[in-house]
Amino acid sequence: MVDFTLPKDLNEEFVSQIPQQRSMVNRMLGAGQILNYSLSLENSKLWVVFSAQSESELMELVDSLPLTRYMKIRV
């Protein structure tokens, strides 16, 4: 599971990439790469359960999400 902390300020650049994030998440869910995706805007948190064979594969999946670069992550 990866714990993401969203930025306090959801600027225009972040918000503009939400549709790409949703699309990528839907593809990854369909492919079985994401098992669970849960978002709490109230707490500025996102939790994602990935299916990966190694830490490097996990990090590739995490890095492929468009909004990852704006968030702090903890595996």
Side-chain angles (χ1 to χ4, degrees):
M1 175 162 52
V2 180
D3 178 306
F4 295 85
T5 302
L6 282 69
K8 299 254 185 259
D9 177 31
L10 302 181
N11 64 32
E12 187 177 321
E13 186 178 347
F14 181 94
V15 172
S16 72
Q17 293 191 37
I18 291 174
Q20 291 90 346
Q21 177 87 0
R22 286 183 182 156
S23 177
M24 180 64 78
V25 167
N26 287 337
R27 277 185 274 175
M28 293 170 93
L29 280 164
Q33 295 170 309
I34 289 179
L35 304 176
N36 195 346
Y37 185 93
S38 185
L39 172 65
S40 172
L41 287 176
E42 188 175 295
N43 296 324
S44 298
K45 298 296 277 184
L46 168 65
W47 300 274
V48 183
V49 177
F50 290 91
S51 176
Q53 298 301 312
S54 66
E55 186 175 348
S56 62
E57 181 184 346
L58 171 64
M59 294 314 297
E60 285 179 29
L61 294 171
V62 169
D63 290 340
S64 71
L65 294 171
L67 296 179
T68 295
R69 66 185 179 126
Y70 300 99
M71 300 184 277
K72 294 178 184 172
I73 66 166
R74 186 171 56 110
V75 177

